[in-house]
Amino acid sequence: MKDRLRRVAARVHRAGTAPSFATDDVVLGRNVQIGRNVRFASDRVRIGDGVQIRDNVVIEASDVEIGNYATIYHGCFFPGPGTLRIGHNFWLGAGSIVDSKGDTTIGDNVGIGAQSQVWGHMTFGDTLYGCRWDSAKPVIVDDDAWIVGHCLLGPVRVGARSVAMLGSVVTRDMQPDRTYAGSPAKDMTDKFGSQFEVRSIGERLLELSARLDRLLPDAPERSAVRCAIDATFPTLAEDPDLLVLNVESRTYASHEHPLEGRVLRGLLPQAKFTPARASSTA
Ligand SMILES: CC(C)(COP(=O)(O)OP(=O)(O)OC[C@H]1O[C@@H](n2cnc3c(N)ncnc32)[C@H](O)[C@@H]1OP(=O)(O)O)[C@@H](O)C(=O)NCCC(=O)NCCS
């Protein structure tokens, strides 16, 4: 086990001490960065490509999967045991807590801002003496949801593309495409509008191309990254020398292209792509 953990640790680009794993059932993707004093008390760990975990993060979920290009900032805590599934491009602000005692499932492209807390369980009071609260329920956060920051969530389902504004206390399910605020949080979509408006494929292509021009001023590098739509993606994706971004399906094909990390990270958080193929940690 020690040899295997040493090999795992050697793959991690890090600035400080090696991360601590309680198991040898650990699979890390490419170019994972883990900061100082990071501890996994898990039985099984899967971490995708390009994931960055900053200093002083503790993960106590027993079974944890984190998708590609997730960013977990300093001092976050994941109480367990339980199953924690996190999709691609996850963004968790500093000092946040994400519970998995009742199992927690987070989709792709989800952001949770600094100092937020997501709780599935309510346990502390003396049940021998008669405390009535002792529960652990699932938390589900669907794709592209955004918990803006300093929010508190109970065991709810957060609908796709919904938003909880700063300081919300979310005690009820959030419906897809709705915007919530306050304590307890109320639907305030009539005041704020929804997170997304319709953007045509043509507009997305033009905007992505402009962002890539800024990100890759060097012409040979820029020509290795191509924008696609569903109709052009399959053919372009076959070329092993290209990194291809499909603005329609919001997916990428990379063949482990050397520019992959720089481009996908460089576009975050304002443009998100998930792998068209199964991730290397599957
Ligand atoms: C407390 C808890 C067990 C209650 O579950 P429940 O009995 O199913 O009750 P509900 O969640 O349906 O809430 C009942 C009502 O109280 C309100 N409510 C719940 N928590 C609230 C809070 N913190 N502040 C204000 N209102 C709250 C709900 O909005 C709901 O109001 P409504 O009936 O007007 O819609 C559950 O909400 C929970 O687990 N919360 C998180 C626990 C936590 O913080 N744990 C930290 C680690 S111990």
Side-chain angles (χ1 to χ4, degrees):
M1 173 168 165
K2 273 197 179 130
D3 277 356
R4 188 182 147 76
L5 284 183
R6 225 173 275 132
R7 281 201 303 275
V8 165
R11 292 193 61 192
V12 178
H13 299 246
R14 65 198 150 70
T17 51
S20 150
F21 293 102
T23 176
D24 64 351
D25 189 2
V26 177
V27 178
L28 301 181
R30 292 170 291 124
N31 303 317
V32 171
Q33 295 182 25
I34 299 185
R36 294 179 176 82
N37 194 29
V38 172
R39 183 169 66 82
F40 287 82
S42 318
D43 302 326
R44 178 178 176 275
V45 178
R46 298 289 182 271
I47 297 182
D49 297 337
V51 169
Q52 293 184 2
I53 300 177
R54 303 284 161 81
D55 299 346
N56 303 318
V57 170
V58 175
I59 301 189
E60 293 184 346
S62 20
D63 183 345
V64 53
E65 290 184 6
I66 302 174
N68 295 356
Y69 296 101
T71 309
I72 295 172
Y73 280 89
H74 306 77
C76 291
F77 176 40
F78 297 77
T83 299
L84 177 64
R85 295 274 179 275
I86 296 177
H88 303 295
N89 300 322
F90 180 55
W91 193 276
L92 184 64
S96 293
I97 298 175
V98 178
D99 184 22
S100 65
K101 263 190 183 147
D103 297 336
T104 293
T105 306
I106 296 176
D108 292 329
N109 308 326
V110 168
I112 300 180
Q115 303 290 339
S116 292
Q117 301 185 8
V118 177
W119 292 106
H121 84 271
M122 171 123 166
T123 306
F124 171 71
D126 188 332
T127 50
L128 186 66
Y129 191 56
C131 176
R132 293 167 38 245
W133 286 288
D134 183 13
S135 60
K137 298 179 190 167
V139 178
I140 299 171
V141 184
D142 291 325
D143 295 350
D144 289 288
W146 184 6
I147 307 302
V148 171
H150 218 287
C151 294
L152 304 176
L153 278 75
V156 297
R157 180 165 195 154
V158 176
R161 301 171 300 279
S162 63
V163 179
M165 289 298 192
L166 193 79
S168 304
V169 177
V170 179
T171 60
R172 290 271 170 225
D173 287 356
M174 293 164 59
Q175 302 305 312
D177 294 300
R178 308 299 291 181
T179 300
Y180 296 80
S183 172
K186 301 270 184 260
D187 186 335
M188 295 186 70
T189 317
D190 290 347
K191 189 179 179 78
F192 290 113
S194 298
Q195 184 185 173
F196 293 99
E197 60 187 4
V198 176
R199 186 66 46 91
S200 75
I201 301 299
E203 286 172 314
R204 291 190 221 173
L205 276 171
L206 276 176
E207 178 59 28
L208 177 60
S209 187
R211 292 187 198 187
L212 289 170
D213 290 348
R214 287 195 294 273
L215 199 59
L216 300 170
D218 178 58
E221 284 186 341
R222 177 63 186 86
S223 63
V225 183
R226 303 287 287 275
C227 306
I229 57 174
D230 285 350
T232 56
F233 187 70
T235 310
L236 287 170
E238 276 173 19
D239 188 335
D241 296 326
L242 293 181
L243 167 63
V244 188
L245 307 175
N246 182 347
V247 295
E248 207 167 348
S249 62
R250 302 169 76 203
T251 57
Y252 67 89
S254 118
H255 304 280
E256 302 193 3
H257 196 283
L259 288 172
E260 180 192 309
R262 199 167 129 207
V263 168
L264 293 174
R265 274 243 157 243
L267 291 171
L268 286 175
Q270 290 106 327
K272 303 179 180 78
F273 295 87
T274 61
R277 272 180 262 272
S279 124
S280 61
T281 58

